[in-house]
Amino acid sequence: MSAFSASHISASPIAARGSSAPAVNDEEPQTSKQADDTLQVSEDDHSTNDTAGPTRADGTPMAPEEIQYLEQLKQTDRAVRQHEMAHQIAGGAYTGGASYEYEVGPDGKRYAVAGEVPIDYGPVPGDPQATVEKMQTVIAAALAPADPSPKDLQVAAQARQYLLEAKLEAAMEQSEMNQARDSGAATSPPEEAA
């Protein structure tokens, strides 16, 4: 079993102030309903700050370069997850669950910067036709992302090799069966008419 992997994509880290910040609370701000059916957001959402834009885990505003870095991390996270999902969808039963490498952003959240999906690309013993079908699926899965990684191309190349070997084995078996049938027909006595 091998694994497809997205190339490790990483932006240059920025020395974030307060990198040992406490965990971020990802819950929605608490709201309360007023009598006139309008929502009033509690002060827990930091909307009373005079800042607009992302904040660090400790609630302080990010510097422009931290915001840019955060956007790069978000974009990388989306690209890595899409890449691995493409493998999983195309590989079907031959793939396992994706695993990711994470980087913590200046907001204290984890973002996927690399990933891999395990895939079974070994031949099916004693069944060349099943191997052919399996390798066709494996090749499609390896090349499914828009930007296959070097590891993806390696898996596809190995699957192609197994595919060619299986096709050769299937052709040899078919040839042997044809020869046996032809030689059996030539050596059997003709049937007598009744």
Side-chain angles (χ1 to χ4, degrees), residues 65-76:
E65 56 271 4
E66 290 174 310
I67 294 170
Q68 181 180 3
Y69 178 59
L70 179 62
E71 290 306 313
Q72 289 174 329
L73 280 175
K74 288 179 180 181
Q75 182 179 0
T76 298

Side-chain angles (χ1 to χ4, degrees), residues 1-187:
M1 176 143 354
S2 184
F4 297 122
S5 62
S7 348
H8 182 79
I9 307 169
S10 180
S12 60
I14 294 175
R17 289 171 257 152
S19 61
S20 61
V24 174
N25 182 355
D26 288 335
E27 295 178 13
E28 291 293 317
Q30 296 177 355
T31 58
S32 60
K33 195 165 187 175
Q34 295 179 337
D36 63 355
D37 285 345
T38 61
L39 293 177
Q40 178 181 359
V41 178
S42 73
E43 294 187 22
D44 290 344
D45 72 348
H46 305 288
S47 63
T48 58
N49 292 349
D50 292 328
T51 61
T55 58
R56 292 188 199 91
D58 64 3
T60 60
M62 288 185 201
E65 56 271 4
E66 290 174 310
I67 294 170
Q68 181 180 3
Y69 178 59
L70 179 62
E71 290 306 313
Q72 289 174 329
L73 280 175
K74 288 179 180 181
Q75 182 179 0
T76 298
D77 182 90
R78 280 189 300 273
V80 166
R81 291 178 191 278
Q82 287 173 353
H83 181 107
E84 302 309 335
M85 185 179 290
H87 288 312
Q88 288 178 302
I89 291 169
Y94 301 119
T95 61
S99 61
Y100 298 99
E101 290 181 33
Y102 296 95
E103 192 168 311
V104 178
D107 59 354
K109 296 180 183 177
R110 295 182 340 150
Y111 296 93
V113 294
E116 66 180 29
V117 172
I119 185 159
D120 173 10
Y121 67 96
V124 179
D127 193 343
Q129 187 54 42
T131 298
V132 167
E133 292 168 11
K134 180 179 178 181
M135 293 307 117
Q136 289 170 337
T137 300
V138 169
I139 292 166
L143 302 177
D147 57 343
S149 70
K151 178 67 173 177
D152 299 340
L153 298 174
Q154 181 182 359
V155 169
Q158 183 62 57
R160 277 192 197 98
Q161 183 64 36
Y162 288 145
L163 174 74
L164 293 174
E165 291 170 5
K167 283 183 174 183
L168 180 61
E169 185 180 344
M172 288 173 38
E173 285 179 5
Q174 184 64 42
S175 177
E176 289 170 5
M177 286 193 308
N178 289 344
Q179 285 179 352
R181 187 185 65 229
D182 291 346
S183 66
T187 59

